[in-house]
Amino acid sequence: MKQTLAQQRAANALNAARIPGMGHGQDGGNALSGFPMLIKTDGSLAAFAFAVERKPNKELKQRGAHLIVGAIATHLQSLGIADAQTADDLVDELARGDSALLRRATAEALAFLNYLKRFVA
């Protein structure tokens, strides 16, 4: 059965929305609502680097953002855009990849987040 790209985005976003803590920000905030704008203003590499940033004790600084980028990695892998399975691997792959990969991954991440934001709300 062949699905449309919109169906694939929706299905992957529904799965991601079921992950405990998805989109939760610090102090009970919402990490998901502003994430697309972070990508648009700073670029996907900077936004994804923000999500994988760690404290000196190796604990994640932004757990909610890390979950979001992990879901993006899973989505991009399911479409064959990237090979990364984790947020950290996605940052590495995009940093080492060419500009076409970065542009395609960015556009698809934003489209995916449109679904995820609605399913998590």
Side-chain angles (χ1 to χ4, degrees), residues 41-110:
T41 57
D42 295 342
S44 56
L45 269 179
F48 296 173
F50 166 78
V52 300
E53 190 176 1
R54 297 181 187 277
K55 298 176 184 176
N57 67 359
K58 305 295 183 201
E59 183 182 326
L60 289 167
K61 284 188 175 182
Q62 303 289 337
R63 181 168 156 28
H66 191 266
L67 289 174
I68 293 165
V69 176
I72 291 169
T74 300
H75 174 66
L76 294 177
Q77 185 188 43
S78 77
L79 298 180
I81 294 173
D83 292 327
Q85 295 181 346
T86 67
D88 296 270
D89 290 344
L90 182 59
V91 170
D92 186 59
E93 184 174 342
L94 294 178
R96 296 176 192 283
D98 62 15
S99 60
L101 171 63
L102 184 59
R103 281 192 304 273
R104 187 169 180 214
T106 299
E108 189 54 44
L110 289 170

Side-chain angles (χ1 to χ4, degrees), residues 8-20 22 71 74 112 116 119:
Q8 291 173 311
R9 287 176 185 144
N12 289 337
L14 278 170
N15 287 335
R18 294 182 182 116
I19 297 170
M22 176 56 71
T74 300
F112 169 75
L116 185 60
F119 294 146

